[in-house]
Amino acid sequence: MLPVERIDKIRELIKSQGKLKTSELSEMLGVSEMTIHRDINALVTEGLVVKTYGGLALAKDKADDISAGNMCTYCSREVLGRYAYRLVLSNDQVESTCCAHCGLLRHRQLGDHVIQAICYDFFIHTAVSVKLAWFVMDTTIDIGCCQPQVITFSKKEYADGFVKGFGGIISTFDEAKEKVAEKMNGTSCCQ
């Protein structure tokens, strides 16, 4: 497992569990505790975690932001309503991501645990079920969020008009979920 993949896995675990032991992470990820300490340092620098005796814990302000839906559960960026992607899980939890890019990746990770998800139309800012939305990738416009960026539309005609002006490729939900994962191929979206 690459360091970036390991750090992403630790980030995911700490967000869901709140605290972790270094020894458990070492065993779970098949690396030395020293390697885990180096990985933890990256998350401390990011402000996501604090070191504890024998492990790490989610930084209090980050825990509050995540549970309130103010912080992306995938990349830890601030969630802005205009680009947000919200996932309703089978355990009645709601997760928010900063954009469709992170939402699609998180949706893919969670699989059948997601019972509903919504995103917002780029033009008219109304909520739409992700399964009915149209996703545009590889456009020339930069919305200032995660890369490769994904822009959502409630109607195909809106996506078509956008692509005429700014280029890009239009995909359905299932296609977009696979394309963004393929484009990421083990890289980090937000660095």
Side-chain angles (χ1 to χ4, degrees), residues 175-186:
E175 293 167 344
K177 196 167 51 164
E178 295 310 311
K179 282 181 185 177
V180 77
E182 183 181 298
K183 284 179 176 279
M184 291 303 296
N185 196 20

Side-chain angles (χ1 to χ4, degrees), residues 115-168:
I115 57 173
Q116 175 63 283
I118 62 166
C119 57
Y120 296 88
D121 184 283
F122 184 75
F123 284 149
I124 58 176
H125 315 291
T126 57
V128 60
S129 168
V130 297
K131 293 190 176 179
L132 300 175
W134 296 92
F135 299 84
V136 175
M137 298 175 70
D138 300 328
T139 180
T140 58
I141 196 168
D142 186 357
I143 62 171
C145 209
C146 302
Q147 298 293 326
Q149 65 189 9
V150 181
I151 302 173
T152 57
F153 298 91
S154 59
K155 295 183 179 183
K156 187 163 187 311
E157 62 204 52
Y158 296 166
D160 287 333
F162 183 87
V163 166
K164 280 183 184 173
F166 299 102

